[in-house]
């Protein structure tokens, strides 16, 4: 006697189809799971047997073998409990053989209750792709999987209910989505930032061209406050992107309970003491780290100079590639990590270098070494260095009514500029100016004569490296795109030059 039940396993943030084959044969009573199961699955017997008995069913007194097919791929997760238990119970059933179109997921308690699982959305997505028309899921996971829309979800809360799904498919009751009140947006808007118009402009340019940006300013000047508003000016997530992010948060076990769908671009702000593993993810059953939780959103690195160099090194390649590679059980797992980097730092050790009220106590050598430390991390990714001034009370009083641009107005400009870039880079791997490589810069960032002269002068005067020079060209490209100009003129080049503040400061403190 052999039964087969459809389910799936997780690999990173994706699912792949698995069939649970259960066989019973005469011999000494026993239970064996084969097919590269992880420890959670191997422990399943200790949950499944009591769950079956406590639900009033019989557990076979023969030798039970469960094979998770395909046998060569590693499987992980407690959601195999339910398909394995049903495979065993089906051995004694007359009906319930027509299961080709149904997939099952759920973790069992000893009393037969079905607990929520991790990664429900990617698992359900995989089941649907592999042809399942009905998906049996723990009740608590249905709202999350319902974001898929066109799939029949059958919620179950205990084993007996799941068995009834098998015996009487016509009595199944599909899941009906909750009516949610519109989620209140977080309310963060750039119109709430008073003064700091130059920094807002810099963040607009960074968002438009997907340039990494470093905000340099003393304590309390509003760096974190402004960084937190960057997601509000990025284009809204598409449905596919929402699915992708919800899947990542589902695998991380971090979906909000009430409304388990990620609809907004994430903003993640890991503390500088975070380990490399916390950033890139990992563990025996790999979970996404901060880089993946910030996917398609903003990774904010406050106090950039304080991050351990091991952590910075671990992030470098993933930030460059847009994904993280982890090796588990001879398999490569990928976690996505396309992030916009916004970093912040003090201008010097004491923080008061540009403060009008308090004087800086650092020596010229200290300042210079502090600034040098900031140019190291992500030097390839961080194109813009911006000075964030301490906004004085006088400045605030002078223009109490001037509120500047709202996030929505800024977002419109970002979207328009990104459209131009998308069109220009059609068919290329790069989609935004911030991602242009050397060849791309030479080809797409052509400067008008005057602009070229200006940048070349700066190159000599500030002692820029060739790399910094190329960054200037990319930033100027984005500024021109914001103005819908094809050519990069002297105005755009001059504005771009403002965003190499470290080189300028270093010029005055020696290198
Ligand atoms: Zn200082």
């Amino acid at each position: 006697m052999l039964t087969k039940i459809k389910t799936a396993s997780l690999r990173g943030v994706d699912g792949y189809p698995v069939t649970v084959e259960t066989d019973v044969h005469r011999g000494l009573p026993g239970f064996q799971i084969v097919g590269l199961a992880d420890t959670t699955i191997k422990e399943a017997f200790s949950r499944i047997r009591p769950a079956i008995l406590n639900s009033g069913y019989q557990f076979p007194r023969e030798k039970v073998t469960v094979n998770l097919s395909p046998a060569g791929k590693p499987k992980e997760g407690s959601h195999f409990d339910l398909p394995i238990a049903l495979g065993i119970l089906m051995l004694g059933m007359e009906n319930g053989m027509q299961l080709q179109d149904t997939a099952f997921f759920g973790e069992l308690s000893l009393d037969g209750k079905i607990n929520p699982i991790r990664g429900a959305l990617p698992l359900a997505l995989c089941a649907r792709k592999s042809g399942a028309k009905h998906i049996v899921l723990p009740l608590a996971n249905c709202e999350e999987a319902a974001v898929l829309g066109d799939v029949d979800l059958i919620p179950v809360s205990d084993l007996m209910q799941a068995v009834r799904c098998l015996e009487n498919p016509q009595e199944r009751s599909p899941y009906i989505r909750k009516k949610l009140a519109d989620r209140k947006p977080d309310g963060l808007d750039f119109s709430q930032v008073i003064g700091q118009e130059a920094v807002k402009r810099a963040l607009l340019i960074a968002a438009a061209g997907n340039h990494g940006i470093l905000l340099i300013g003393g304590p309390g000047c509003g760096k974190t406050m402004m960084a937190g508003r960057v997601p509000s000016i990025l284009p809204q997530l598409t449905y596919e992107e929402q699915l992708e992010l919800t899947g990542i948060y589902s695998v991380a076990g971090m979906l909000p309970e009430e409304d388990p769908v990620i609809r907004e671009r994430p903003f993640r702000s890991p503390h500088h003491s975070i380990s490399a593993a916390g950033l890139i993810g990992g563990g025996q059953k790999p979970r996404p780290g901060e880089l993946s939780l910030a996917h398609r959103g903003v990774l904010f690195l406050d106090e950039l100079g304080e991050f351990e160099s091991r952590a910075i090194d671990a992030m470098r390649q993933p930030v460059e590639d847009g994904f993280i590679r982890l090796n588990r059980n001879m398999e490569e797992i990928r976690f996505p990590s396309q992030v916009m980097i916004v970093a912040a730092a003090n201008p010097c050790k004491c923080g008061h270098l540009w403060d009008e009220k308090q004087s800086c106590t650092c020596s010229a050598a200290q300042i210079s070494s502090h600034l040098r430390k900031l140019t190291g991390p992500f030097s390839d990714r961080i194109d813009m260095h911006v000075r964030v001034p301490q906004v004085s009370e006088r400045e605030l009083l002078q223009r109490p009514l001037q509120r500047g641009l709202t996030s929505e107005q800024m977002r419109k400009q970002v979207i328009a500029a990104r459209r131009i870039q998308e069109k220009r880079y059609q068919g290329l791997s790069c989609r935004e100016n911030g991602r242009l490589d050397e060849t791309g810069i030479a080809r797409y960032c052509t400067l008008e004569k005057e602009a070229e002269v200006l940048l070349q002068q700066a190159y000599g005067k500030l002692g820029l490296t060739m790399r910094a020079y190329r960054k200037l060209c990319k930033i100027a490209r984005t500024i021109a795109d914001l103005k819908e100009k094809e050519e990069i003129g002297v105005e755009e080049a001059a504005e771009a030059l403002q965003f190499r503040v470290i080189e300028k400061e270093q010029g005055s403190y020696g290198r």
Side-chain angles (χ1 to χ4, degrees):
M1 179 83 186
L2 175 79
T3 62
K4 289 185 182 185
I5 294 218
K6 271 192 169 185
T7 184
S9 184
L10 283 176
R11 182 172 46 208
V13 289
D14 299 309
Y16 67 91
V18 173
T19 305
V20 176
E21 302 173 345
T22 312
D23 184 37
V24 64
H25 32 208
R26 293 207 178 156
L28 287 176
F31 185 83
Q32 190 188 17
I33 296 184
V34 293
L36 290 188
D38 77 343
T39 20
T40 329
I41 308 175
K42 287 197 172 130
E43 284 167 357
F45 176 68
S46 351
R47 290 186 297 272
I48 291 170
R49 192 169 178 275
I52 288 183
L53 295 173
N54 289 330
S55 305
Y57 303 107
Q58 301 272 327
F59 196 87
R61 287 169 196 274
E62 290 131 315
K63 190 168 168 51
V64 176
T65 306
V66 174
N67 176 38
L68 305 179
S69 159
K73 282 187 170 180
K75 327 280 182 315
E76 65 138 313
S78 55
H79 64 268
F80 283 99
D81 288 4
L82 180 62
I84 294 174
L86 291 175
I88 293 170
L89 290 171
M90 245 171 69
L91 292 167
M93 266 183 224
E94 284 179 19
N95 307 331
M97 295 299 159
Q98 307 304 320
L99 281 172
Q100 280 311 305
D101 59 353
T102 310
F104 293 84
F105 304 93
E107 179 194 296
L108 286 172
S109 291
L110 303 186
D111 60 0
K113 291 253 177 326
I114 293 175
N115 298 328
I117 56 167
R118 204 166 55 82
L121 176 63
L123 291 170
L125 184 63
C126 162
R128 185 181 72 172
K129 274 190 197 155
S130 63
K133 291 196 180 68
H134 318 282
I135 297 173
V136 178
L137 270 182
L139 176 63
N141 293 115
C142 281
E143 189 61 30
E144 164 192 344
V147 67
L148 287 174
D150 56 345
V151 66
D152 178 35
L153 296 174
I154 302 153
V156 285
S157 339
D158 57 47
L159 187 57
M160 283 161 78
Q161 215 183 351
V163 171
R164 282 201 296 275
C165 282
L166 278 181
E167 289 178 325
N168 306 306
Q170 62 281 7
E171 280 174 32
R172 294 167 175 179
S173 45
Y175 180 74
I176 297 159
R177 288 195 82 166
K178 285 188 215 159
K179 279 219 162 49
L180 296 166
D182 275 345
R183 192 196 287 175
K184 278 189 202 124
D186 56 17
L188 296 182
D189 197 288
F190 269 108
S191 63
Q192 297 151 344
V193 181
I194 301 169
Q196 304 291 25
E197 289 303 316
V199 185
K200 279 170 71 176
R201 167 81 183 158
L203 288 168
L204 169 75
I205 295 167
N210 196 6
H211 301 282
I213 182 169
L214 169 62
L215 305 175
I216 309 170
C221 64
K223 291 169 292 191
T224 308
M225 189 246 237
M226 287 188 275
R229 284 163 170 76
V230 172
S232 71
I233 61 171
L234 294 172
Q236 252 142 5
L237 291 174
T238 62
Y239 172 69
E240 271 69 32
E241 291 171 336
Q242 288 185 11
L243 270 191
E244 182 189 26
L245 272 165
T246 304
I248 294 172
Y249 277 73
S250 168
V251 171
M254 285 173 62
L255 281 178
E257 236 172 75
E258 250 318 286
D259 182 7
V261 182
I262 305 295
R263 299 172 206 277
E264 312 284 339
R265 290 196 186 262
F267 176 82
R268 302 293 301 179
S269 171
H271 189 257
H272 58 72
S273 62
I274 191 170
S275 67
L279 283 163
I280 64 165
Q284 201 45 43
K285 296 166 199 166
R287 306 277 170 108
E290 287 293 334
L291 269 171
S292 301
L293 296 171
H295 179 55
R296 300 203 182 277
V298 172
L299 181 71
F300 179 53
L301 303 171
D302 197 9
E303 300 186 54
L304 180 67
E306 304 296 318
F307 278 79
E308 275 185 40
S309 54
R310 272 187 57 200
I312 297 281
D313 284 343
M315 282 192 281
R316 192 162 288 146
Q317 203 57 43
V319 165
E320 205 50 49
D321 298 341
F323 58 84
I324 296 151
R325 274 196 190 96
L326 295 171
N327 285 307
R328 287 293 174 283
N329 307 319
M330 321 271 282
E331 262 205 325
E332 185 184 282
I333 294 173
R334 284 187 179 196
F335 284 129
S337 62
Q338 287 173 37
V339 297
M340 172 176 169
I341 291 195
V342 180
N346 283 330
C348 63
K349 214 163 182 266
C350 81
H352 298 291
L353 181 61
W354 299 324
D355 204 335
E356 286 169 12
K357 286 195 197 127
Q358 217 167 325
S359 51
C360 168
T361 55
C362 308
S363 70
Q366 276 174 325
I367 295 171
S368 176
S369 110
H370 176 87
L371 290 172
R372 202 172 329 112
K373 229 170 101 187
L374 296 182
T375 52
F378 301 114
S379 47
D380 281 326
R381 257 301 53 91
I382 296 181
D383 292 344
M384 302 170 66
H385 302 149
V386 179
R387 174 176 172 163
V388 184
Q390 217 86 26
V391 175
S392 64
E393 261 174 66
R394 195 188 54 212
E395 196 180 354
L396 291 181
L397 286 175
Q398 265 173 0
R399 32 181 174 159
L401 292 174
Q402 190 195 339
R403 285 257 163 194
L405 293 176
T406 64
S407 287
E408 204 40 51
Q409 288 167 323
M410 291 167 79
R411 176 183 267 161
K412 276 194 185 130
Q413 295 189 44
V414 168
I415 292 172
R418 286 211 176 182
R419 266 199 203 120
I420 294 173
Q421 297 167 63
E422 238 166 72
K423 216 170 144 196
R424 184 187 304 128
Y425 304 133
Q426 227 168 20
L428 300 181
S429 62
C430 134
R431 292 180 66 181
E432 297 108 7
N433 298 332
R435 289 274 168 183
L436 279 177
D437 59 10
E438 219 174 295
T439 340
I441 293 169
R443 171 138 186 232
Y444 298 107
C445 303
T446 36
L447 305 172
E448 281 175 0
K449 192 73 206 140
E450 246 184 301
E452 200 179 324
V453 172
L454 179 77
L455 287 194
Q456 299 246 326
Q457 277 171 351
Y459 179 71
K461 212 165 93 194
L462 294 172
L464 295 181
T465 58
M466 200 52 212
R467 183 199 268 165
Y469 181 82
R470 287 194 208 104
K471 283 171 189 284
L472 281 172
C473 296
K474 287 198 280 183
I475 303 166
R477 174 72 272 162
T478 302
I479 297 171
D481 286 340
L482 278 165
K483 296 180 182 169
E484 296 177 35
K485 276 178 69 180
E486 196 38 53
E487 293 293 315
I488 302 170
V490 69
E491 262 177 56
E492 290 79 48
E495 188 176 2
L497 264 176
Q498 294 175 25
F499 306 125
R500 299 303 300 178
V501 78
I502 291 186
E503 278 101 356
K504 277 188 209 158
E505 283 296 321
Q506 276 184 328
S508 38
Y509 293 97
R511 291 193 168 78

